[in-house]
């Protein structure tokens, strides 16, 4: 067994959250008289946390007061609607179950709001994760290594014993900053070419392929 811990990103890696993120963003934009965004646009906005999603979603030049209002409206709507259309990617639940059956620990590290990370992890994966960490004012978000390091400390795992799995350039940078190897997945929000151009070394196209790498 190469690893004792597998750390997963959430959005675009284990859960397809794009439909609900898009719906909440467009709800907040429409409520504030701003133009809505397409699903493909929202896909390109995600990865750096909710604040960045909102800043990218509002029209260029939007003032801070209005941006703050859109952020607030998004957060309120998403908290109540984060699981309407969200679903695990095909095969990922079975793979995580097999990882745990092999005696490894599992965790989630995400730039999604911490309360949503914990809610979604429990709703869709039950007790399959030993620890889940999301964005909060208590810890620096990815690509800072702080969330990953918090998981390593809590679960008493050395960085040499852990692997990161993610779908974005943010995850690649996070793994580098934390000193962990990473496997990049191509079924998420970024395509193969984009990942390769941003430093991805090992890529997988289906969740089941992860089992061959660990």
């Amino acid at each position: 067994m190469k690893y004792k811990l597998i750390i997963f990103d959430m959005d675009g890696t284990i859960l397809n959250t794009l439909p609900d993120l898009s719906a909440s963003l467009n709800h907040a934009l429409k409520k504030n008289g701003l133009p809505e965004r397409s699903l493909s646009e929202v896909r390109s906005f995600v990865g750096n946390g909710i604040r960045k999603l909102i800043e990218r979603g509002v029209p260029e030049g939007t003032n801070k007061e209005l941006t703050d209002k859109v952020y607030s409206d998004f957060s309120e709507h998403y908290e109540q609607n984060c699981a309407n259309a969200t679903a695990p990617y095909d095969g990922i639940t079975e793979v995580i179950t097999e990882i745990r059956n092999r005696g490894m620990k599992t965790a989630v590290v995400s730039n999604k709001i911490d309360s949503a990370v914990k809610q979604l992890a429990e709703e869709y994966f039950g007790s399959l994760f030993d620890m889940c960490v999301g964005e909060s004012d208590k810890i620096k978000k990815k690509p800072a290594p702080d969330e990953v390091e918090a998981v390593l400390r809590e679960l008493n795992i050395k960085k040499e014993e852990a692997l990161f799995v993610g779908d974005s350039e943010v995850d690649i940078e996070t793994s580098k900053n934390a000193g962990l190897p990473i496997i990049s997945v191509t079924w998420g929000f970024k395509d193969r070419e984009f990942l390769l151009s941003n430093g991805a070394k090992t890529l997988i196209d289906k969740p089941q392929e992860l089992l061959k790498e660990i």
Side-chain angles (χ1 to χ4, degrees):
M1 190 168 64
K2 292 183 186 179
Y3 304 105
K4 293 183 178 180
L5 168 66
I6 311 297
I7 301 175
F8 293 89
D9 167 56
M10 178 168 273
D11 297 47
T13 301
I14 60 173
L15 285 178
N16 183 5
T17 55
L18 192 61
D20 287 328
L21 288 170
S22 181
S24 290
L25 175 61
N26 283 329
H27 166 85
L29 291 171
K30 185 176 181 179
K31 185 175 180 180
N32 289 279
L34 300 173
E36 297 181 38
R37 295 291 195 164
S38 69
L39 199 65
S40 62
E41 286 178 313
V42 179
R43 181 189 297 273
S44 71
F45 297 157
V46 298
N48 295 91
I50 297 303
R51 183 70 195 189
K52 277 294 183 183
L53 169 62
I54 302 305
E55 291 175 356
R56 292 163 178 165
V58 298
E60 188 175 353
T62 300
N63 63 49
K64 183 178 184 300
E65 183 179 6
L66 183 52
T67 302
D68 288 346
K69 181 63 167 52
V70 175
Y71 176 87
S72 176
D73 290 337
F74 171 95
S75 298
E76 181 180 353
H77 187 269
Y78 190 68
E79 185 174 357
Q80 302 298 320
N81 297 275
C82 65
N84 291 350
T86 287
Y89 288 100
D90 288 345
I92 194 69
T93 303
E94 292 80 3
V95 167
I96 296 168
T97 300
E98 175 60 22
I99 288 170
R100 296 185 64 83
N101 287 341
R102 292 185 184 185
M104 287 172 266
K105 294 182 181 296
T106 53
V108 173
V109 166
S110 171
N111 279 344
K112 182 185 290 296
I113 298 169
D114 187 65
S115 59
V117 172
K118 290 176 168 56
Q119 176 187 340
L120 291 170
E122 182 176 358
E123 179 163 347
Y124 290 105
F125 300 100
S127 58
L128 283 180
F129 292 108
D130 296 284
M131 187 175 178
C132 298
V133 181
E135 181 183 3
S136 72
D137 56 9
K138 299 177 183 178
I139 191 167
K140 291 181 181 178
K141 68 177 187 289
K142 300 182 299 182
D146 299 48
E147 293 179 335
V148 170
E149 291 171 348
V151 170
L152 295 175
R153 283 195 304 272
E154 180 69 23
L155 299 181
N156 194 29
I157 301 290
K158 299 175 183 177
K159 64 182 181 180
E160 300 83 29
E161 300 171 329
L163 171 72
F164 200 95
V165 181
D167 76 306
S168 72
E169 76 281 11
V170 176
D171 296 321
I172 294 170
E173 191 174 348
T174 301
S175 69
K176 186 183 301 182
N177 292 337
L180 268 62
I182 183 170
I183 291 178
S184 298
V185 309
T186 63
W187 59 76
F189 299 163
K190 309 293 182 181
D191 62 30
R192 173 179 289 271
E193 290 71 24
F194 179 88
L195 292 168
L196 288 171
S197 69
N198 280 273
K201 302 298 183 186
T202 304
L203 297 93
I204 58 174
D205 300 316
K206 296 179 180 179
Q208 292 80 1
E209 295 175 21
L210 178 58
L211 298 175
K212 301 174 184 177
E213 303 290 340
I214 58 176

